[in-house]
């Protein structure tokens, strides 16, 4: 089967940097995604890593190490609006028949 | 980015009735769509993969006779919760996937909050 582990909660202050880790065990791994979800809203795409290394998109960066089955989401210059749940998700299967399996989510609370 | 819509956004129904939820990809074609279920403060649980023109693929433990999925066109998938019971009350979200270059992304609908009384 597949399993993903990420911290349940993280708290940080505005302007700080936060790293949310994700470890996974899965067969047929194809890539690791991160999604953000505000209360009552739909998940929105943040990043996708298929290869080892760091991908940067604005204030958010995502890292993947396939050999360690590990990735993280790095949020810089935290803002109050970043308070949300963050899910790592493994894309497994194949490019044509793959699907996402989500971790349990990390609730990030940004304080003034 | 791509847009996926869902209808209705919320619905209240009585126990024993059926409810249909529609998921549409508005600006791209989706041969595959996904249906998720999410309880408060919990993760998204994949229920099934909806395949255009063929039967849906259900995840283990999901009752296919209770959660009927139809993917009749490249832009529309429907989920029907049959004989709904209070324990079916949940947030149902659909998504449609796309590959953009090497990146894989799922575009999520806004979700449907189902309350069964």
């Amino acid at each position: 089967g597949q399993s993903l582990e990420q911290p349940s909660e993280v708290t940080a202050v505005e302007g700080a940097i936060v790293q949310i880790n994700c470890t996974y065990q899965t067969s047929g791994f194809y890539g690791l995604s991160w999604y953000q979800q505000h209360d009552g809203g739909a998940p929105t795409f943040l990043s996708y890593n298929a290869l080892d290394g760091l991908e940067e998109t604005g204030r958010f960066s995502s890292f993947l190490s396939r050999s360690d089955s590990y990735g993280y989401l790095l949020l810089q210059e935290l803002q109050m609006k970043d308070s949300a749940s963050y899910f790592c998700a493994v894309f497994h299967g194949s490019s044509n028949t793959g699907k996402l399996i989500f971790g349990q989510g990390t609730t990030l609370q940004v304080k003034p | 980015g791509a847009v996926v819509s869902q209808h209705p956004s919320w619905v209240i129904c009585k126990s024993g009735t059926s409810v249909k939820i529609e998921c549409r990809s508005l600006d791209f074609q989706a041969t595959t769509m996904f249906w998720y279920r999410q309880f408060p403060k919990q993760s998204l649980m994949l229920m099934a993969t909806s395949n255009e023109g063929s039967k849906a693929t259900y995840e283990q433990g999901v009752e296919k006779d209770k959660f009927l999925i139809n993917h009749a066109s490249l832009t529309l998938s429907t989920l029907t919760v049959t004989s709904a019971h209070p324990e079916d009350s949940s947030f149902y979200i659909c998504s449609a996937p796309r590959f953009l270059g090497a990146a894989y992304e799922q575009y999520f609908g806004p979700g449907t909050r189902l309350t069964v009384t």
Side-chain angles (χ1 to χ4, degrees):
Chain A
Q2 298 84 33
S3 69
L4 296 94
E5 288 193 17
Q6 55 182 123
S8 58
E9 292 182 3
V10 173
T11 302
V13 296
E14 266 188 302
I17 299 173
V18 152
Q19 179 173 312
I20 300 174
N21 298 321
C22 175
T23 57
Y24 59 87
Q25 286 186 312
T26 184
S27 56
F29 177 87
Y30 209 77
L32 185 70
S33 291
W34 288 91
Y35 286 79
Q36 178 193 61
Q37 185 181 30
H38 286 97
D39 270 350
T44 56
F45 172 82
L46 293 177
S47 68
Y48 175 78
N49 294 67
L51 303 175
D52 286 358
L54 188 69
E55 298 273 348
E56 298 181 58
T57 308
R59 294 187 298 114
F60 293 0
S61 302
S62 59
F63 172 83
L64 174 65
S65 169
R66 295 175 67 118
S67 59
D68 295 324
S69 298
Y70 163 76
Y72 65 73
L73 179 69
L74 189 73
L75 299 86
Q76 303 182 72
E77 300 173 21
L78 282 175
Q79 302 175 8
M80 296 297 291
K81 67 178 182 180
D82 296 331
S83 293
S85 293
Y86 292 84
F87 294 92
C88 61
V90 165
F91 177 51
H92 80 105
S94 71
S95 59
N96 293 325
T97 61
K99 56 188 178 183
L100 285 179
I101 302 299
F102 284 80
Q104 291 302 303
T106 298
T107 301
L108 170 63
Q109 185 178 14
V110 181
K111 295 185 173 180
Chain B
V3 178
V4 174
S5 70
Q6 259 182 264
H7 178 80
S9 55
W10 60 270
V11 57
I12 301 172
C13 71
K14 292 187 176 180
S15 188
T17 61
S18 294
V19 172
K20 179 186 282 189
I21 303 170
E22 292 187 349
C23 177
R24 294 182 185 273
S25 57
L26 298 184
D27 53 357
F28 68 103
Q29 294 181 333
T31 55
T32 299
M33 290 185 177
F34 300 96
W35 286 96
Y36 295 85
R37 183 175 181 176
Q38 186 177 35
F39 292 106
K41 305 296 183 185
Q42 294 190 24
S43 185
L44 290 90
M45 186 196 81
L46 180 64
M47 299 175 66
T49 302
S50 173
N51 303 300
E52 188 266 337
S54 65
K55 291 182 180 180
T57 305
Y58 290 82
E59 295 299 303
Q60 191 173 7
V62 177
E63 301 175 60
K64 61 180 67 177
D65 293 331
K66 180 168 184 63
F67 298 100
L68 301 179
I69 291 173
N70 183 274
H71 195 148
S73 77
L74 288 172
T75 59
L76 173 64
S77 174
T78 60
L79 169 69
T80 301
V81 183
T82 63
S83 187
H85 291 285
E87 57 265 30
D88 298 324
S89 298
S90 188
F91 192 48
Y92 292 86
I93 316 174
C94 69
S95 73
R98 285 178 86 177
F99 269 103
L100 294 174
Y104 175 82
E105 182 174 345
Q106 283 192 16
Y107 298 93
F108 285 85
T112 297
R113 193 160 301 281
L114 170 63
T115 302
V116 185
T117 60

